[in-house]
Amino acid sequence: MRIRWDEPKRQLVLNNRGIDFAHLGELLNWPYVEDRRNDDPEQFRIVGFAGGQLTTFIVEYRQDQLDEYIWVVTAWHSTKQEQKAYEQETQ
């Protein structure tokens, strides 16, 4: 699936948190945990390893004329609670 993002937001998160939105594709190739984060707009939280670190992404599933794609909203280093949930769900 295609992954897209707002480039200025990507740069901001990369500079402030050291997380590259482009690593989401890597994360999706390994075990990860996904749950609904918000209903309006419908957003999902994805927790998994990206760039060698346990990372949390907030995404939306969108559609354009080509097909569905993942829109990255933001990302951060996973919290202890998210780490625990990841460990429980992937064992």
Side-chain angles (χ1 to χ4, degrees), residues 67-86:
D67 203 357
E68 190 174 54
Y69 63 92
I70 298 173
W71 179 260
V72 180
V73 176
T74 192
W76 58 80
H77 299 289
S78 298
T79 65
K80 289 184 183 197
Q81 181 182 4
E82 291 165 336
Q83 291 173 11
K84 185 176 179 179
Y86 175 83

Side-chain angles (χ1 to χ4, degrees), residues 46-64:
I46 299 175
V47 180
F49 280 92
Q53 300 181 69
L54 195 60
T55 306
T56 300
F57 286 85
I58 301 299
V59 302
E60 297 174 0
Y61 292 96
R62 296 182 178 181
Q63 184 135 5
D64 63 12

